[in-house]
Amino acid sequence: MAFRVRNIVSVSPSSHSIFALNAAINKHKCFTLFATKSPILGTWIRNQFCTDQSIPKLEEDSKANQEFLKWCNGGGKFHKSACIHPTAVIEVGAIVHSQALVGENVHVGSGAIVGPAVKIGESTILGYNISLSNCCIGNSCVIHNGVCIGQDGFGFLVDEQGNMVKKPQNLKAKIGNHVEIGSNTCIDRGSWRDTTVGDHSKIDNLVQIGHNVTIGRSCMICGQVGIAGSVTIGDYVTLGGRVAIRDHVNIASKVRLAANSCVTKDIIQPGDYGGFPAMPIAKWRRQVALGNRTLDKQN
């Protein structure tokens, strides 16, 4: 059965138009030529115009896609093995993977990815384009746009040949109840212990929390804080903006750190600290004042 190629040329990209003009031949042969030049375009033409049953027609859904269904409340997709409360909202573009558990009144924003076996407690709100894997989220949490929780931590070893070898990162990240996490914050999963954030803690935007970190309850962590791996932070700790904490450091409860401070060793007493390296705030202020006076004299 012959047909006119101009109908296809009108919807084809310009890069294929000249080729299509030279393809004024029978239907089956034209499909073969298009598929040779452009597999994507050829597939589209085959689906739209093919009547020859000898040419396999592309199935809309692969076997993997058939495992995912459309959620009635919001239009997102979920794996048929996931357990989702009927009151949960999964917006269009969100995906809930296999064996995930989504609690009552949870709201999953568009573009969010809830990975396999992730647990989300009731009344938790997940923003747009977040990624959750290898983690558990508590009740009544707010996870803002772009947050990543449960990815591998930055752990490597040097082998005998001097090459960097990845250290296994096999544990989870656990977020308590009533926790709020700001946009584009990253919380790594654990390697030798779970990474944990205690109840009622609040985390600002652009915070990095490394693997194996333990944060107590009711902590306040301001923007651009960086916490290296295996740090232990007590309860009611406040970290000002851009505070840096080196790995394997312990910080006692009820410690407050001034902005831009750097913790290089354990802090065992409650109180206010600041500077680089961090020290009791009164001592740091005296050092700053002395330094300023010295500069004034030199000038």
Side-chain angles (χ1 to χ4, degrees):
M1 180 173 65
F3 75 110
R4 294 183 180 274
V5 182
R6 64 170 176 266
N7 293 331
I8 299 175
V9 174
S10 64
V11 297
S12 302
S14 59
S15 59
H16 300 285
S17 299
I18 296 176
F19 183 79
L21 289 173
N22 296 323
I25 52 178
N26 65 67
K27 188 175 185 178
H28 180 93
K29 195 170 183 180
C30 184
F31 287 152
T32 304
L33 290 170
F34 265 101
T36 302
K37 283 290 183 180
S38 175
I40 296 176
L41 185 59
T43 298
W44 181 85
I45 297 170
R46 186 181 298 112
N47 288 337
Q48 296 295 323
F49 298 99
C50 181
T51 58
D52 189 345
Q53 298 300 321
S54 65
I55 301 176
K57 198 169 185 178
L58 181 66
E59 297 180 3
E60 286 189 9
D61 295 323
S62 66
K63 184 177 179 181
N65 288 337
Q66 290 175 359
E67 299 290 321
F68 287 86
L69 308 173
K70 183 178 180 180
W71 183 246
C72 58
N73 192 6
K77 289 189 175 181
F78 70 100
H79 193 274
K80 60 185 182 181
S81 68
C83 183
I84 304 174
H85 195 276
T87 60
V89 175
I90 303 174
E91 293 185 0
V92 172
I95 301 177
V96 178
H97 283 268
S98 59
Q99 300 181 2
L101 177 62
V102 179
E104 183 178 358
N105 295 319
V106 168
H107 190 111
V108 182
S110 295
I113 306 296
V114 179
V118 168
K119 297 180 180 180
I120 303 173
E122 61 184 37
S123 301
T124 287
I125 299 174
L126 306 180
Y128 302 140
N129 297 320
I130 72 169
S131 175
L132 304 179
S133 59
N134 311 300
C135 66
C136 302
I137 311 295
N139 301 329
S140 301
C141 294
V142 179
I143 314 296
H144 289 281
N145 304 339
V147 169
C148 293
I149 301 176
Q151 63 281 343
D152 284 358
F154 193 71
F156 297 90
L157 301 171
V158 181
D159 65 12
E160 295 177 353
Q161 288 74 38
N163 299 318
M164 302 299 292
V165 179
K166 187 176 181 65
K167 183 179 180 181
Q169 310 283 311
N170 298 324
L171 300 181
K172 293 183 176 293
K174 296 182 177 179
I175 311 300
N177 302 321
H178 303 280
V179 173
E180 184 161 346
I181 301 175
S183 297
N184 297 319
T185 286
C186 296
I187 303 177
D188 297 338
R189 68 192 294 198
S191 60
W192 61 269
R193 69 177 179 185
D194 291 331
T195 303
T196 59
V197 178
D199 297 345
H200 296 278
S201 289
K202 311 300 179 184
I203 301 173
D204 199 0
N205 303 334
L206 297 169
V207 171
Q208 162 63 24
I209 298 176
H211 56 182
N212 314 314
V213 170
T214 296
I215 297 173
R217 62 179 289 113
S218 298
C219 292
M220 184 76 71
I221 300 177
C222 297
Q224 299 187 15
V225 165
I227 304 175
S230 303
V231 168
T232 301
I233 297 175
D235 302 331
Y236 306 103
V237 171
T238 299
L239 305 180
R242 299 185 69 183
V243 165
I245 304 176
R246 60 153 289 182
D247 58 297
H248 295 86
V249 163
N250 298 322
I251 298 177
S253 297
K254 298 182 179 180
V255 166
R256 297 194 304 175
L257 282 156
N260 293 310
S261 301
C262 182
V263 180
T264 60
K265 60 182 180 181
D266 292 352
I267 297 177
I268 59 176
Q269 295 293 332
D272 295 343
Y273 294 79
F276 186 173
M279 62 191 72
I281 198 77
K283 181 179 179 181
W284 175 57
R285 287 171 176 166
R286 286 196 298 269
Q287 286 189 357
V288 171
L290 179 60
N292 289 336
R293 286 197 297 269
T294 301
L295 288 175
D296 290 341
K297 290 180 180 178
Q298 290 177 350
N299 293 333

